[in-house]
Amino acid sequence: MSKTALLFAGQGAHIVGMGRDLAAQFPIAQAWFDRANSRLGYDLAKICFQGPETELTNTANAQPGIFLVGWVAFQLLQEQVASLKFEATAGLSLGEFTALAAAGAMSFEDAIQIVRQRGRFMQEACDRTHGAMAAIIGLDEAKTREVCARPGSSWPT
């Protein structure tokens, strides 16, 4: 017996233009973007659709934007596949909130507000500290430990 789970993206899955085609093609998608704008009190849809990239990349905008596009895609999936049944939802970091809303554990309005605050708090923390993050792919553990032990050093290419 097969079971279906829905997985929602986290931060880093954003790109200028995200959701624009959905809103242009499906009136219900545009309605969700309008609803989010109204709830948040600013034009998140415009930031998602047009950028600029620096504004979308700001965590305070990226997080509610990614949540919103994931939510819109979920709504469209339910509309297009009336027989859709799923047994579980999951999300990567921020995507957990989209998963919770999709599972009915919280309303869209509550989720978008929570994600907005989460993004704002994380952006404030980033603005107050100096640091960086990197993905390490394919580097052996010994070399990774060596590089991490040298604060401020350049990452090998």
Side-chain angles (χ1 to χ4, degrees):
M1 170 185 249
S2 66
K3 294 185 178 184
T4 300
L6 304 177
L7 178 63
F8 295 94
Q11 190 165 347
H14 54 282
I15 185 169
V16 172
M18 66 181 189
R20 180 177 51 222
D21 292 346
L22 296 176
Q25 186 173 355
F26 300 100
I28 189 71
Q30 183 61 57
W32 281 109
F33 282 102
D34 294 342
R35 190 169 173 179
N37 288 349
S38 177
R39 182 69 175 175
L40 295 172
Y42 73 102
D43 198 346
L44 177 59
K46 182 178 179 184
I47 296 169
C48 291
F49 299 167
Q50 300 174 14
E53 185 175 357
T54 54
E55 195 168 349
L56 179 59
T57 302
N58 182 299
T59 301
N61 294 321
Q63 290 198 8
I66 294 164
F67 167 83
L68 178 56
V69 172
W71 177 260
V72 167
F74 169 66
Q75 294 301 311
L76 291 172
L77 179 63
Q78 287 190 301
E79 182 181 272
Q80 299 294 312
V81 184
S83 63
L84 176 68
K85 298 209 182 326
F86 54 93
E87 287 71 34
T89 62
L92 175 62
S93 188
L94 148 74
E96 294 171 4
F97 292 95
T98 321
L100 286 166
M106 66 175 62
S107 70
F108 168 80
E109 287 78 13
D110 287 345
I112 194 117
Q113 288 286 76
I114 290 167
V115 170
R116 169 70 171 146
Q117 287 297 96
R118 181 182 193 265
R120 288 176 64 195
F121 295 148
M122 290 179 74
Q123 187 61 53
E124 286 175 14
C126 289
D127 291 344
R128 290 186 181 141
T129 61
H130 293 72
M133 186 169 86
I136 300 173
I137 301 170
L139 193 61
D140 74 334
E141 184 178 346
K143 186 67 173 171
T144 301
R145 288 184 181 278
E146 178 187 327
V147 170
C148 290
R150 295 180 292 176
S153 65
S154 299
W155 286 92
T157 55

